[in-house]
């Protein structure tokens, strides 16, 4: 099934069930009003939502209405935690190669993760508000999952059973703030503003064989200012699958229902030709990676970060060409006067 949260003026919005084709929706009133309620009592409430979903898809839902992504908050508008990984080691390799440094061996066996702010997510069509263009505004196209309860010490395969829903994300980064923050030795904070998520969160059964052992084998499309810049495959080059990422979080603590785990920037390896030059035909899922590619190829970056008024669209389509999660479709904006 597909679930979304509609804006209603409150912090947590109203839960709606969305049809498979994203054409219609129905309030889940009478079953659950908030997404967190469903996550807290998944075994009891999700079958009832599934019944409503089936009715919606068959045209039998009595009070269905046209689905409007612009009315959506993040599917889970605020979460108990948001932990983002760097599951695509190719992204790390490019960053390190651009500055002539090696990737530590431990990075291939132990996931990189940071804990972001989870009290203020933004909707898929909301503006990304940033204080200054000078901060180095960047998008990051990612896959994310929402978990149920996962016990401390759960191994990677068992952790897969804790996944309830899958989403797409734009993990906005302010690149020019990152070096000074990391130099303090305490990680990201101001350089990671509010994250945006796609209109709908979907259950694993909706993904069919595209979901395989914690990896989503579909293409993440990134379109910046109307130009498609990324067609990156989220599946085979994901070094750490979502079970491994969740198990990493659960190593020393319980993970509670309503936790969101991100994949990090979806990234694919380049192809080297006979002359020794490497190109990246699948493009990029963040501008920082494009700048690293330019540095490797040409000795310096040439692509600038985002400006006020720029737009970013992130979407994943199924094998039939239909949008699965809906699209993140945002503009970069200055704060209101």
């Amino acid at each position: 099934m597909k679930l979304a949260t509609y804006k209603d003026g409150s912090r947590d919005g109203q839960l709606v069930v969305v049809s498979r084709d994203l054409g219609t929706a129905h309030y889940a009133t009478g079953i659950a009003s908030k997404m967190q309620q469903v996550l807290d009592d998944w075994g009891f409430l999700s079958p009832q939502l599934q019944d409503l979903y089936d009715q919606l898809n068959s045209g039998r839902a009595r009070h269905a209405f046209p689905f409007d992504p612009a009315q959506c908050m993040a599917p889970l508008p605020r979460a108990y935690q948001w932990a983002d990984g760097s599951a695509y080691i190719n992204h790390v390799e490019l960053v390190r190669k651009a500055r002539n440094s090696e990737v530590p061996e431990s990075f291939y066996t132990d996931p990189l993760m940071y804990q972001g702010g989870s009290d203020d997510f933004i909707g898929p069509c909301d503006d990304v508000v940033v204080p200054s263009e000078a901060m180095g505004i960047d998008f990051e196209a990612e896959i994310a999952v929402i978990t149920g309860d996962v016990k401390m010490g759960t191994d990677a395969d068992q952790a897969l059973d804790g996944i309830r829903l899958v989403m797409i994300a734009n993990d906005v980064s302010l690149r020019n703030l990152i070096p000074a923050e990391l130099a303090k030795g305490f990680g990201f904070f101001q350089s990671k503003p509010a994250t945006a998520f796609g209109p709908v969160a979907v259950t694993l059964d909706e993904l069919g064989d595209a979901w395989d052992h914690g990896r989503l084998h579909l293409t993440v499309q990134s379109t910046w200012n109307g130009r498609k810049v990324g067609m990156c495959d989220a599946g085979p080059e994901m070094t750490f699958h979502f079970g491994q990422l969740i198990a990493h979080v659960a190593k020393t603590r319980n993970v509670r229902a309503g936790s969101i785990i991100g994949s990090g920037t979806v990234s694919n390896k380049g192809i080297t030709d006979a002359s020794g030059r490497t190109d990246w035909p699948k493009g990029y899922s963040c501008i920082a990676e494009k700048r690293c590619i330019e540095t490797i190829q040409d000795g310096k970056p040439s692509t600038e970060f985002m400006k006020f008024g720029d737009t970013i669209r992130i979407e994943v389509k199924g094998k039939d060409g239909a949008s699965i999660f809906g699209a993140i479709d945002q503009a970069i904006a200055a704060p209101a006067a």
Side-chain angles (χ1 to χ4, degrees):
M1 61 185 166
K2 299 188 176 186
L3 303 175
T5 296
Y6 255 35
K7 298 174 181 178
D8 67 352
S10 72
R11 294 180 187 272
D12 298 305
Q14 283 289 319
L15 181 67
V16 298
V17 178
V18 183
S19 63
R20 181 170 287 114
D21 65 2
L22 305 180
T24 58
H26 196 291
Y27 284 106
T29 309
I31 302 172
S33 59
K34 314 294 183 191
M35 179 71 85
Q36 186 61 48
Q37 289 176 258
V38 182
L39 296 164
D40 286 337
D41 200 3
W42 185 262
F44 180 68
L45 295 177
S46 64
Q48 298 176 57
L49 293 172
Q50 182 68 49
D51 288 343
L52 178 54
Y53 181 65
D54 293 339
Q55 293 173 30
L56 190 60
N57 286 321
S58 65
R60 294 182 290 112
R62 293 179 58 191
H63 301 293
F65 53 86
F67 177 60
D68 182 4
Q71 296 302 314
C72 288
M73 306 172 76
L76 183 60
R78 49 180 176 167
Y80 285 111
Q81 68 173 327
W82 157 232
D84 196 23
S86 188
Y88 297 86
I89 291 299
N90 180 68
H91 176 71
V92 181
E93 290 173 339
L94 285 171
V95 172
R96 293 284 177 139
K97 186 173 182 179
R99 62 183 195 223
N100 295 314
S101 64
E102 298 292 326
V103 178
E105 284 299 320
S106 63
F107 283 26
Y108 294 92
T109 57
D110 193 33
L112 291 170
M113 297 196 83
Y114 82 92
Q115 190 149 19
S118 60
D119 58 330
D120 183 31
F121 297 138
I122 54 179
C125 301
D126 295 343
D127 287 346
V128 178
V129 179
V130 179
S132 169
E133 290 179 345
M135 292 179 175
I137 308 164
D138 199 355
F139 66 90
E140 288 191 52
E142 303 189 8
I143 308 298
V145 300
I146 306 177
T147 76
D149 288 330
V150 179
K151 291 183 178 179
M152 181 173 62
T154 298
D155 67 30
D157 287 336
Q158 292 173 326
L160 290 173
D161 295 333
I163 296 173
R164 297 287 178 259
L165 297 160
V166 183
M167 308 181 288
I168 54 173
N170 178 14
D171 179 41
V172 181
S173 290
L174 304 179
R175 298 295 183 185
N176 293 340
L177 302 186
I178 289 176
E181 288 205 306
L182 294 185
K184 296 178 180 179
F186 224 52
F188 303 120
F189 198 83
Q190 292 176 340
S191 52
K192 288 291 188 178
T195 302
F197 293 93
V200 300
V202 311
T203 49
L204 300 182
D205 58 302
E206 289 293 321
L207 302 173
D209 60 7
W211 181 263
D212 183 23
H213 201 74
R215 295 179 174 89
L216 181 65
H217 290 263
L218 291 172
T219 300
V220 179
Q221 303 180 17
S222 300
T223 304
W224 176 18
N225 288 338
R227 176 172 170 263
K228 195 166 287 183
V229 296
M231 291 287 289
C232 297
D233 190 340
E237 295 180 48
M238 188 181 189
T239 310
F240 301 102
H241 63 68
F242 276 108
Q244 291 170 298
L245 297 179
I246 296 167
H248 182 82
V249 177
K251 183 174 182 178
T252 58
R253 51 178 150 165
N254 294 317
V255 176
R256 293 306 186 191
S259 294
I260 303 177
I261 310 297
S263 67
T265 303
V266 178
S267 179
N268 294 152
K269 292 183 179 298
I271 297 174
T272 304
D273 62 21
S275 69
R277 180 181 173 85
T278 303
D279 287 301
W280 282 262
K282 295 182 180 179
Y284 53 91
S285 298
C286 72
I287 300 168
E289 187 162 301
K290 173 63 171 174
R291 287 168 60 86
C292 288
I293 290 169
E294 291 166 345
T295 300
I296 293 166
Q297 291 177 327
D298 307 318
K300 62 180 181 180
S302 56
T303 299
E304 296 184 349
F305 291 115
M306 303 179 86
K307 306 296 184 184
F308 294 145
D310 279 11
T311 60
I312 179 65
R313 182 181 177 93
I314 299 168
E315 192 169 18
V316 172
K317 295 182 179 180
K319 296 176 182 178
D320 60 356
S323 183
I324 294 178
F325 308 97
I328 294 172
D329 199 349
Q330 302 179 293
I332 308 301

